[in-house]
């Protein structure tokens, strides 16, 4: 039986950027002993959001100061666990993207989106998926018929309901300006892929990505 091609957004982007790097890293497993401060920051930030919104999903949006403290604590505990996990296997050249900055960023996020509890319902937190890429027309069938099965994998950060519509919510940590992020997000292969997979692996058809 032909081994399937396991595709995720990181490998896809790496292959398009540098095929030699993809070969050495993804196929041969050669990794640098130095870690990326940006990736460590992003992994921990996603952990904070997952922990926080998992608490919200289970208990409802916090109302009292005590509930708010418990929700934030749940987020920070998972965030520091992810941070320490990244530090165990890599050496880092530390910069401004430290855990204190990360906490300040999360607090700024909570302040900006402080009204979420009035209209946003958390359906699911981080959801791993495996989705076969299947042809949907004759052109795609001709392209895929000569290839092994392709399995698209990834993680959907949040599934939410807003304005009576159900959405995929994806978090981004970036130093880019907002206009650049918006321009790229509208044609992001990652979000296009998540929308495709979401309609197949979730129990609802996403209205789009936030």
């Amino acid at each position: 039986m032909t081994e399937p091609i396991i595709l995720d957004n990181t490998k896809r982007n790496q292959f398009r950027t540098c095929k030699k790097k993809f070969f050495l890293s993804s196929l041969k497993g050669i990794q640098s002993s130095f870690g990326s401060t940006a990736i460590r920051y992003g992994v921990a930030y996603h952990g904070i959001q997952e922990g926080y919104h998992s608490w919200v999903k289970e208990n409802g949006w916090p109302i009292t100061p005590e509930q708010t403290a418990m929700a934030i604590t749940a987020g920070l505990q998972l965030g520091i666990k992810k941070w320490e996990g990244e530090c165990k296997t890599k050496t880092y050249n530390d910069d401004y993207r430290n855990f204190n900055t990360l906490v300040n960023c999360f607090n700024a996020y909570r302040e900006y989106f402080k009204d979420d509890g009035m209209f946003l319902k958390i359906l699911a937190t981080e959801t791993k998926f495996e989705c076969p890429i299947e042809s949907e027309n004759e052109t795609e069938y001709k392209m895929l018929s000569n290839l092994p099965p392709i399995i698209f994998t990834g993680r959907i950060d949040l599934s939410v309901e807003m304005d009576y519509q159900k959405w995929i919510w994806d978090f981004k940590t970036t130093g880019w300006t907002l206009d650049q992020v918006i321009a790229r997000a509208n044609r992001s292969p990652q979000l296009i892929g998540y929308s495709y997979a979401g309609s197949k692996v979730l129990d609802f058809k996403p209205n789009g990505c936030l």
Side-chain angles (χ1 to χ4, degrees):
M1 180 179 179
T2 304
E3 288 292 322
I5 297 173
I6 306 299
L7 177 69
D8 62 34
N9 187 65
T10 300
K11 291 179 180 179
R12 177 201 59 77
N13 186 59
Q14 190 179 71
F15 182 81
R16 288 180 59 86
T17 302
C18 178
K19 293 177 176 59
K20 186 68 172 181
K21 183 177 180 180
F22 171 83
F23 172 77
L24 294 174
S25 177
S26 296
L27 298 185
K28 293 300 182 180
I30 299 174
Q31 301 289 331
S32 170
S33 60
F34 286 92
S36 163
T37 54
I39 290 177
R40 179 179 62 176
Y41 187 93
V43 168
Y45 183 78
H46 279 71
I48 291 177
Q49 292 285 8
E50 181 185 358
Y52 177 78
H53 286 103
S54 293
W55 190 96
V56 172
K57 183 178 184 297
E58 183 175 346
N59 301 282
W61 289 97
I63 299 174
T64 67
E66 292 77 12
Q67 291 173 335
T68 300
M70 287 190 289
I72 293 173
T73 299
L76 296 181
Q77 285 177 338
L78 185 54
I80 194 66
K81 181 179 178 181
K82 298 282 188 179
W83 180 278
E84 291 174 346
E86 292 294 304
C87 292
K88 285 181 180 178
T89 57
K90 299 282 187 178
T91 301
Y92 290 87
N93 293 318
D94 292 326
D95 57 20
Y96 68 94
R97 289 164 292 193
N98 54 47
F99 198 78
N100 287 337
T101 304
L102 190 61
V103 173
N104 291 336
C105 179
F106 177 62
N107 286 334
Y109 171 92
R110 288 186 56 255
E111 175 61 26
Y112 190 88
F113 293 101
K114 59 182 178 294
D115 295 328
D116 275 3
M118 299 173 60
F119 56 84
L120 196 70
K121 178 182 179 182
I122 307 300
L123 301 177
T125 53
E126 189 169 282
T127 304
K128 297 180 182 179
F129 67 83
E130 294 185 357
C131 175
I133 302 297
E134 300 171 332
S135 58
E136 297 182 349
N137 54 56
E138 186 175 349
T139 300
E140 292 178 357
Y141 176 78
K142 290 179 180 178
M143 293 173 62
L144 296 173
S145 60
N146 295 321
L147 294 174
I150 301 175
I151 307 297
F152 178 47
T153 67
R155 301 182 184 188
I156 295 173
D157 293 339
L158 275 182
S159 300
V160 303
E161 184 175 316
M162 182 176 68
D163 297 334
Y164 304 102
Q165 302 282 351
K166 296 179 180 179
W167 306 78
I168 288 173
W169 188 302
D170 194 69
F171 295 110
K172 293 295 179 196
T173 53
T174 177
W176 287 20
T177 64
L178 187 58
D179 287 343
Q180 284 179 300
V181 176
I182 293 171
R184 285 191 53 142
N186 286 335
R187 59 180 189 276
S188 164
Q190 179 185 10
L191 296 186
I192 292 172
Y194 283 7
S195 295
Y196 171 86
S199 63
K200 297 180 180 296
V201 301
L202 299 174
D203 59 358
F204 62 88
K205 184 176 178 61
N207 194 59
C209 295
L210 305 173

